[in-house]
Amino acid sequence: MCSEVMQHFSEPPSNMSAECVGWEDKKCEEKHDHGSGTDTVTVIPVICVLWIVCGVIAGSTIGSPLVQDLVDAAYGYRWNYVDRCIIDEGYFAGGFCRNPLNCSCGDVDRIDEVDINDMTEKLYEERYAYSNRPLVIRNATLNWKAMEVLDYDWLKKEYLRNPEILEETWENCFFKCYKTSEFKSLADVFHISSERIADMSAEPWYVGWSVCQESVFRELSQLVSLPKFLSNFLAEGNMWIFIGTPGYGAHLHLDHDLDLSTWQAQISGSKTWYLKPPPECAATCPGLIQTDMHPGDMIIV
């Protein structure tokens, strides 16, 4: 908006006319006739100049990365305005741009717990199989052979049985080292000293990897089996191992690249799980929920 400009004139001589023109364009013209020529003086109000300067400053600020960061912080995620997707660096297998998820977790305010003796195929399929409701099955894997033999020493023996095993590289081979730079590869994990393994007062460590080596996968598959209530489902994708000392765990991440539910079984030690909705669902879904896992328990998310 431009303020009105007013000028006071004394009565003009007969050879000069004073007029204010073009108010729609917010400028006032004063014409002076001198014989055969005409001089035009254009007056631009100061307030107009101020509004133009303010507009330039506002436009530059709104389009700046700082304002974009503030908007992203308010929404809780980074938005790619070109590809129209969420930039999420918290993925388990690496960050990439993803489409916003359908927020169907409005009634998920806890992690359900069911004992293996009370879980049936019908209950699982009706309530959990095709929903976003997380579930802990207590005592689900107590009959696994893995509960007796699977530990660091067993894994070390299997992976070091043949030097070529750790040299295998496939598209489904992943290694994750959390909150520590001590290990650069899976081979480093199996070459630490026994004293380092036993010393619980040393710097904590926690790693995870996909079992992509065929020989190890074959031996490991003999130690585990799906519970009866999952008999109508097939195990697909990678098998993962997570191992470490007390203190560390995986960061909050989103396994958006997985279309199916996943299960994890606690073989030894205890672990606290924290689950929260993705940032785009924070306004419609309950907040952080958690549960403790103990040997023999299985969680399905």
Side-chain angles (χ1 to χ4, degrees):
M1 183 181 68
C2 186
S3 299
E4 182 180 74
V5 178
M6 296 184 65
Q7 292 179 308
H8 299 279
F9 297 95
S10 60
E11 184 178 350
S14 59
N15 65 338
M16 184 181 77
S17 64
E19 57 185 87
C20 192
V21 300
W23 287 107
E24 293 80 8
D25 295 329
K26 308 307 181 186
K27 67 180 181 180
C28 186
E29 294 184 350
E30 187 177 286
K31 296 183 180 179
H32 300 265
D33 295 331
H34 297 284
S36 60
T38 300
D39 294 336
T40 300
V41 177
T42 301
V43 178
I44 300 177
V46 175
I47 191 65
C48 293
V49 177
L50 292 178
W51 276 111
I52 292 174
V53 173
C54 292
V56 172
I57 295 175
S60 301
T61 303
I62 292 174
S64 69
L66 175 59
V67 173
Q68 182 175 331
D69 290 341
L70 293 176
V71 173
D72 290 344
Y75 280 104
Y77 55 83
R78 295 175 57 201
W79 180 253
N80 185 323
Y81 292 88
V82 177
D83 298 326
R84 304 193 63 79
C85 56
I86 296 176
I87 303 173
D88 196 332
E89 299 175 352
Y91 281 88
F92 191 74
F96 55 91
C97 208
R98 64 175 178 83
N99 293 324
L101 296 177
N102 179 28
C103 302
S104 57
C105 51
D107 61 342
V108 180
D109 57 359
R110 69 181 186 278
I111 301 175
D112 289 355
E113 299 181 10
V114 181
D115 188 86
I116 186 61
N117 295 322
D118 299 324
M119 177 54 66
T120 63
E121 298 176 25
K122 181 179 179 181
L123 174 60
Y124 178 74
E125 292 191 24
E126 291 181 352
R127 183 167 176 79
Y128 301 103
Y130 309 105
S131 70
N132 289 323
R133 189 174 300 278
L135 169 68
V136 170
I137 309 297
R138 299 297 183 189
N139 306 312
T141 65
L142 292 179
N143 61 340
W144 282 7
K145 189 176 180 180
M147 302 297 297
E148 302 175 2
V149 302
L150 185 58
D151 56 13
Y152 174 84
D153 292 331
W154 186 94
L155 293 167
K156 181 177 181 178
K157 181 186 68 174
E158 291 298 325
Y159 275 96
L160 300 184
R161 183 188 302 275
N162 186 333
E164 296 181 355
I165 293 179
L166 286 174
E167 296 179 1
E168 294 183 32
T169 55
W170 307 96
E171 292 184 355
N172 63 332
C173 291
F174 301 99
F175 174 75
K176 289 287 184 179
C177 187
Y178 301 94
K179 299 181 182 179
T180 177
S181 58
E182 182 175 356
F183 308 115
K184 303 299 182 182
S185 66
L186 183 56
D188 293 342
V189 176
F190 295 123
H191 286 94
I192 57 179
S193 66
S194 57
E195 291 77 16
R196 176 71 176 90
I197 293 293
D199 188 0
M200 294 294 109
S201 62
E203 183 71 16
W205 59 272
Y206 183 78
V207 298
W209 68 91
S210 59
V211 184
C212 58
Q213 300 81 7
E214 183 177 352
S215 61
V216 179
F217 181 83
R218 185 171 54 252
E219 293 297 323
L220 191 59
S221 297
Q222 297 180 12
L223 305 182
V224 303
S225 60
L226 290 179
K228 184 179 179 180
F229 71 89
L230 294 175
S231 59
N232 293 332
F233 298 85
L234 298 176
E236 297 182 0
N238 294 333
M239 183 181 294
W240 284 75
I241 296 290
F242 299 94
I243 189 172
T245 57
Y248 281 170
H251 59 279
L252 281 172
H253 59 274
L254 178 63
D255 290 327
H256 185 248
D257 54 329
L258 302 177
D259 296 328
L260 304 174
S261 298
T262 63
W263 59 263
Q264 286 198 26
Q266 194 73 20
I267 303 300
S268 62
S270 298
K271 180 178 180 179
T272 300
W273 276 73
Y274 299 93
L275 301 177
K276 64 182 299 185
E280 65 269 32
C281 300
T284 56
C285 296
L288 188 71
I289 53 179
Q290 68 181 77
T291 189
D292 293 327
M293 298 279 291
H294 305 287
D297 293 341
M298 173 185 287
I299 187 171
I300 301 177
V301 293

